[in-house]
Amino acid sequence: DLKGSIPREIGNLSDLSSLIISYNGITGTIPDGLADLSHLEILHLHGNRLQGTVPRLTFKGQTKSSFIADCGSPSEFDTPLDCPDCTMCCNSQQECDVRESQTNFGKWASVIFGSAILALLLASTVFCAFGENFPTAGNALHAIGKDSAYSFFLSSSPIAWILAITVLATQALCFGFFIDEAKLEFGDDRMWRYSFFCPRNNLECRNESDVTSIGILFFVLLALIFLLVDILNGLKLVWGTSKYGFSKESFQIFVGGCSL
């Protein structure tokens, strides 16, 4: 195993195209001269005890396994190695994942839910304005469910509305917690499960994730089947607001349908 630190003179190797020093005992920081290596195509620094920041690299990684460093969590140090140009980050457990996995699920969830609510609000407004007689759920209380906290939205009692809003807000907070924990942040130790493993003496990392397209498809289908009745009843309630026009009852049913 190699030990010691990376020499500052490495920046003088202007024609260097590959620097593979992974899984050694190299310590210290990474010299700024690394940024001068304009022909560097492969940089593997993972599996060492390096700290600080990897300089911005002139040549951008062409594959997922081009630039790898210990910039994932958990780390052997308080703060993982900072590598803004790395294509893949590994943690102290030799688990790795690609930078492109850093999806802002919270942003996408907000956009999807916000768009759905706006679409339902627009549809309900159009139905009320033109008085279209769309199929309704018949009995709003039956559609929402007598045992559901959302049924409190059909009540005229302020206390019932407070209870319903509290339940809805609590569910939103729990949903937000799971969305936040599902987001990959290399600088924080989260519940995200790293998918790649970068073995010794191999330039390419392999994907060891159990998640497949077929699995995702079955999950979506099972979720739709499980939620289909509530989705249909909720849509019928929103469509049924046209029956009451612009009124208090219409607003209550709309809120109950959207919540459902």
Side-chain angles (χ1 to χ4, degrees):
D1 289 350
L2 296 175
K3 298 184 182 297
S5 60
I6 302 176
R8 296 182 180 277
E9 292 78 12
I10 196 170
N12 298 329
L13 304 176
S14 57
D15 293 330
L16 185 67
S17 61
S18 300
L19 179 59
I20 304 171
I21 53 176
S22 53
Y23 298 112
N24 284 288
I26 299 175
T27 58
T29 59
I30 301 171
D32 295 334
L34 208 65
D36 299 328
L37 303 179
S38 58
H39 295 91
L40 191 64
E41 298 181 8
I42 299 178
L43 176 65
H44 290 184
L45 302 175
H46 54 291
N48 290 288
R49 293 182 58 83
L50 295 168
Q51 301 183 65
T53 301
V54 179
R56 300 305 299 259
L57 302 173
T58 304
F59 193 88
K60 303 303 179 184
Q62 299 300 304
T63 68
K64 295 177 180 178
S65 304
S66 294
F67 300 150
I68 311 174
D70 293 326
C71 42
S73 294
S75 172
E76 294 185 357
F77 304 99
D78 293 336
T79 304
L81 190 68
D82 183 24
C83 187
D85 289 330
C86 277
T87 56
M88 188 172 298
C89 287
C90 300
N91 59 24
S92 59
Q93 300 171 357
Q94 298 184 8
E95 300 169 337
C96 309
D97 216 327
V98 291
R99 283 251 177 215
E100 63 188 35
S101 296
Q102 289 184 292
T103 303
N104 193 337
F105 293 109
K107 177 181 178 181
W108 282 107
S110 300
V111 170
I112 292 172
F113 274 86
S115 300
I117 294 298
L118 287 176
L120 291 173
L121 180 60
L122 178 62
S124 178
T125 303
V126 171
F127 298 156
C128 291
F130 292 94
E132 297 290 346
N133 188 19
F134 283 83
T136 67
N139 188 307
L141 183 59
H142 176 73
I144 294 178
K146 296 181 179 180
D147 297 330
S148 173
Y150 300 148
S151 63
F152 292 157
F153 284 122
L154 303 179
S155 173
S156 300
S157 170
I159 297 178
W161 270 73
I162 291 174
L163 289 174
I165 292 174
T166 301
V167 170
L168 198 61
T170 303
Q171 291 176 331
L173 287 174
C174 292
F175 178 73
F177 168 77
F178 281 105
I179 288 292
D180 185 62
E181 283 296 315
K183 182 174 60 174
L184 174 60
E185 289 285 352
F186 287 116
D188 296 325
D189 188 10
R190 294 173 179 261
M191 296 175 65
W192 179 277
R193 182 178 178 183
Y194 286 35
S195 304
F196 287 81
F197 174 67
C198 302
R200 299 172 182 264
N201 305 321
N202 198 324
L203 295 181
E204 296 295 327
C205 302
R206 62 173 181 261
N207 190 344
E208 296 189 335
S209 175
D210 296 329
V211 179
T212 64
S213 300
I214 300 297
I216 294 175
L217 178 61
F218 272 100
F219 168 76
V220 172
L221 289 176
L222 288 174
L224 286 176
I225 292 172
F226 181 76
L227 299 173
L228 186 61
V229 174
D230 285 343
I231 292 174
L232 292 178
N233 283 336
L235 289 174
K236 286 181 179 180
L237 286 173
V238 173
W239 294 338
T241 53
S242 61
K243 179 179 179 180
Y244 302 94
F246 294 102
S247 63
K248 177 182 176 181
E249 290 80 4
S250 175
F251 175 74
Q252 288 177 300
I253 292 176
F254 173 79
V255 174
C258 287
S259 301
L260 188 59

